[in-house]
Amino acid sequence: MPQFDPAFFAPQLFWLAVTFITLYVLMAKVALPKIGAVLDERQRKIDDNLDKAAQLKAEAEAAVAAYEKALSESRAHAHSVIKEASERLSKQAEERTRDLSAKLAEQIKAGEARIAAAKDAALTNVREVALDVAGATVSRLVGGTADQAKLETAVASALKEQGQ
Amino acid sequence: MANPIEQFKIKPIIPLEIGGVDVSFTNSAVMMVISVVLITAFLTLSVRSRALVPGRWQSMAEVFYEFIAGMLRDNVGSAGRKYFPFIFSLFMFVMFGNLLGMIPGAFTYTSHVIVTFGMAIVVFTGVTIIGFARHGTHFLRMFFPEGAPIATAVILVPIELISYFSRPFSLAVRLFANMTVGHIILKVLGGFVVTLGGFYVLPGIVPFAFLGAVTVLEFGIALLQAYVFTILSCIYLHDAIHMH
């Protein structure tokens, strides 16, 4: 067999070494880094896209959260505005009621005072009229003038008897 | 009928001599050069477009890359990464040698024991050097496992030594024998087809059918033996890096 002929060992080993070393250098320096770069690039692209998708998802979620927060905030704001307005209005109404009732009470008091004054004046008039009537009655019945002091006491007692 | 051994004959094409040693450029060297050129062309041209979605050729280049990278990762681990170009070159060189040899009339350099032995001895010495560089004299523990009774050393050490030193021979002979025998069978069957077919058409069909089946088988063996050569190299590398 030619395989066991030592004459061909040296040339085969020599060219094996030459070609294999060449192949090794070509693989290590050219071919494998190229293929490796392509594979890495693909992996990176896939990872990038996944990252981007995750980022977009997070952004969408943040937007939803922001929207809901804004919604609840504006709801709370509306509540507070309504509450404030109703409080202010009720306070105003209360104040107005208080003012009105104070004014009315004052007017009532003034009226009562006027009535009392009028009553006093009327009573004084009644006494004077009674004195006059009594004086005139006495002078017509008895003739002459009646004693003024006696008339006054009489009228006063009569008025007292009437419960005045 | 042609001599089935003739296909293994070395034919010098350009006679060369360096320092008294014959280094003629032979038909074997031609196939080696063709292999290197084809491997390099295949792997560089296919990924030239750097396509994100690979085409047919780029897919094939990526499959080989990932196949060997996976083999190295599974058998050696991350420590084996720096030997990736070597293991990859070894696989491609053996595989292309086997497959190109299937072309009728072509020479199969992996059917020469000196070629396979040359590669095996590089793997063997490389692995041994890596082992001693990594573990120092502790690497000698390879030949006498820890925990074994000292009395068994008499038997164990010679066995381990023999099994260790027979590695390059088994590696070389396995590939060489498979290739040589396969090609002899193909040649013999081919001879039958011609002789019997010349005698009468019908008897020629039977060996032709056999020849077809064996050719398919030989393609399988060409790929399988490249795989076996590479994975055994990976396993030896694993032993050197991690010990048993």
Side-chain angles (χ1 to χ4, degrees):
Chain A
M1 279 176 103
Q3 279 96 323
F4 301 116
D5 185 351
F8 298 119
F9 284 1
Q12 291 221 87
L13 280 178
F14 175 78
W15 286 102
L16 172 67
V18 169
T19 51
F20 193 81
I21 289 167
T22 312
L23 181 69
Y24 178 81
V25 171
L26 284 170
M27 291 299 108
K29 301 288 171 213
V30 184
L32 294 179
K34 258 187 185 170
I35 301 173
V38 168
L39 293 175
D40 281 355
E41 202 177 312
R42 181 174 312 141
Q43 195 56 47
R44 216 188 51 232
K45 199 126 195 174
I46 290 166
D47 289 348
D48 268 9
N49 284 352
L50 284 178
D51 283 356
K52 211 177 277 169
Q55 201 185 314
L56 287 177
K57 195 180 165 217
E59 270 173 25
E61 273 170 2
V64 167
Y67 164 76
E68 296 211 320
K69 199 178 156 213
L71 197 66
S72 70
E73 260 175 19
S74 58
R75 200 173 282 153
H77 183 65
H79 267 299
S80 76
V81 165
I82 288 168
K83 203 173 155 203
E84 202 180 293
S86 74
E87 263 173 15
R88 204 178 59 233
L89 285 177
S90 68
K91 204 186 272 174
Q92 265 179 9
E94 206 177 294
E95 236 164 61
R96 224 177 269 169
T97 315
R98 200 161 354 105
D99 281 0
L100 198 62
S101 60
K103 212 192 271 170
L104 285 176
E106 223 167 76
Q107 278 178 359
I108 288 166
K109 222 191 234 166
E112 274 175 353
R114 247 190 355 262
I115 288 166
K119 198 178 158 190
D120 280 358
L123 275 179
T124 321
N125 285 350
V126 166
R127 213 166 54 99
E128 273 167 19
V129 169
L131 268 178
D132 285 352
V133 169
T137 312
V138 168
S139 64
R140 191 71 64 83
L141 291 176
V142 184
T145 50
D147 185 9
Q148 198 64 32
K150 268 187 182 163
L151 275 175
E152 273 182 25
T153 34
V155 167
S157 69
L159 281 173
K160 207 169 273 173
E161 252 165 54
Q162 294 294 315
Q164 297 299 317
Chain B
M1 194 170 117
N3 184 354
I5 301 299
E6 208 179 290
Q7 60 180 321
F8 304 116
K9 218 170 136 186
I10 303 279
K11 295 167 199 136
I13 295 168
I14 308 165
L16 282 174
E17 202 170 292
I18 296 176
V21 183
D22 179 23
V23 293
S24 302
F25 192 73
T26 60
N27 55 346
S28 162
V30 169
M31 293 310 288
M32 290 179 189
V33 171
I34 289 173
S35 273
V36 171
V37 170
L38 284 182
I39 292 166
T40 310
F42 163 48
L43 293 176
T44 50
L45 297 182
S46 60
V47 295
R48 203 177 33 173
S49 62
R50 306 175 130 264
L52 194 64
V53 179
R56 277 183 220 132
W57 288 98
Q58 193 182 327
S59 286
M60 265 174 30
E62 286 176 9
V63 162
F64 281 122
Y65 182 99
E66 294 196 317
F67 176 62
I68 301 300
M71 189 199 284
L72 200 59
R73 196 172 47 239
D74 293 345
N75 288 294
V76 187
S78 57
R81 195 171 297 164
K82 58 180 161 178
Y83 309 112
F84 175 55
F86 177 78
I87 297 291
F88 188 82
S89 305
L90 198 65
F91 176 75
M92 293 309 269
F93 193 72
V94 173
M95 187 180 72
F96 268 68
N98 293 352
L99 287 178
L100 289 175
M102 290 303 292
I103 298 170
F107 181 85
T108 318
Y109 55 76
T110 43
S111 69
H112 270 255
V113 71
I114 190 65
V115 175
T116 60
F117 187 73
M119 291 187 287
I121 204 77
V122 168
V123 171
F124 176 76
T125 39
V127 157
T128 308
I129 289 167
I130 289 164
F132 276 111
R134 273 192 161 253
H135 305 289
T137 50
H138 186 68
F139 188 61
L140 292 172
R141 268 279 167 209
M142 280 280 285
F143 307 114
F144 187 62
E146 219 138 350
I150 197 79
T152 59
V154 189
I155 309 165
L156 222 50
V157 172
I159 288 174
E160 289 288 341
L161 276 173
I162 291 166
S163 93
Y164 189 78
F165 283 99
S166 64
R167 278 174 173 186
F169 299 99
S170 72
L171 199 56
V173 170
R174 185 180 296 109
L175 179 59
F176 144 74
N178 268 284
M179 287 303 114
T180 303
V181 170
H183 280 77
I184 288 172
I185 289 173
L186 286 178
K187 194 76 179 182
V188 168
L189 281 174
F192 281 164
V193 175
V194 174
T195 338
L196 291 175
F199 173 64
Y200 193 70
V201 178
L202 201 62
I205 290 173
V206 179
F208 184 76
F210 267 100
L211 184 63
V214 172
T215 306
V216 172
L217 181 73
E218 279 305 311
F219 272 107
I221 287 174
L223 295 171
L224 184 73
Q225 287 305 318
Y227 172 74
V228 168
F229 197 93
T230 318
I231 201 155
L232 283 173
S233 303
C234 284
I235 290 167
Y236 297 159
L237 192 58
H238 169 267
D239 282 353
I241 290 175
H242 303 292
M243 311 270 302
H244 283 303

